[in-house]
């Protein structure tokens, strides 16, 4: 049925790539977008375009940012003595929402998973080691996820922190 509607089918195929979205939901979303005023659909397209063009990783902590270094790295009110290592930017945002931490961050964008070919180099642990060398924090808080990979990463980070005193 979608063969005669290539533009519609293309949007459904793109939406179905989202995590947790199957073909059925993708079709429902495509119909929703079709019924929206044109300006609304174009605003969504522009937001996706801007996200890709304006957002990058902070060169210091690797959090997502529109300015480099990011706001957190530039904030003089943050405590340099505390460094919190997280797997994903979402974890950083959750900690920020809790307002319980006033130190700096380092975002790994994953966890060690040798079977998937994700080793220390892929996680940018060299950059983290470099940070520990140049501006060693008094305390490193390891906030990786409670998964096998997260635990392995935490263990690796502990040894790394011990090596840097
Ligand atoms: Zn940063």
């Amino acid at each position: 049925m979608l063969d005669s509607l290539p533009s519609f089918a293309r949007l459904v195929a793109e939406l179905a790539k989202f995590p947790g979205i199957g073909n059925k939901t993708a079709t429902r979303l495509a119909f929703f977008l079709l019924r929206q005023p044109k300006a609304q659909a174009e605003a969504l397209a522009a937001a996706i375009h801007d996200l890709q063009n304006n957002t990058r990783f902070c060169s210091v902590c690797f959090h997502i940012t529109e300015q480099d270094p990011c706001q957190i790295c530039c904030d003089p009110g943050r405590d340099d003595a505390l460094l919190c290592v997280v797997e994903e930017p979402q974890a950083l945002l959750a900690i920020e929402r809790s307002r319980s931490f006033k130190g700096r961050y380092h975002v790994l964008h994953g966890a060690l998973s040798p079977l998937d070919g994700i080793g220390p180099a892929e996680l940018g642990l060299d950059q983290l080691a470099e940070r520990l060398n140049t501006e060693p924090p008094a305390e490193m808080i390891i906030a990786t996820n409670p998964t096998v990979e997260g635990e392995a990463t935490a263990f690796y980070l502990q040894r790394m922190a011990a090596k840097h005193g």
Side-chain angles (χ1 to χ4, degrees), residues 72-145:
I72 295 173
C73 287
C74 290
D75 185 350
R78 292 263 170 178
D79 189 351
D80 288 326
L82 300 173
L83 181 68
C84 180
V85 184
V86 296
E87 285 185 31
E88 304 292 347
Q90 293 97 304
L92 184 157
L93 294 175
I95 295 169
E96 282 299 289
R97 269 198 302 275
S98 76
R99 295 175 188 278
S100 56
F101 182 70
K102 284 287 161 233
R104 309 278 181 189
Y105 290 97
H106 197 91
V107 184
L108 299 173
H109 295 279
L112 288 176
S113 184
L115 291 180
D116 301 315
I118 302 170
E122 282 69 28
L123 289 185
L125 291 177
D126 301 347
Q127 286 96 324
L128 178 57
E130 180 72 32
R131 262 186 105 177
L132 295 181
N133 264 333
T134 51
E135 37 182 333
E139 201 178 326
M140 184 162 99
I141 297 121
I142 300 169
T144 52
N145 299 338

Side-chain angles (χ1 to χ4, degrees), residues 33 36-50:
L33 285 166
Q36 295 299 299
K38 195 169 177 224
Q40 185 67 44
E42 278 171 356
L44 174 66
I48 293 169
H49 179 268
D50 288 353

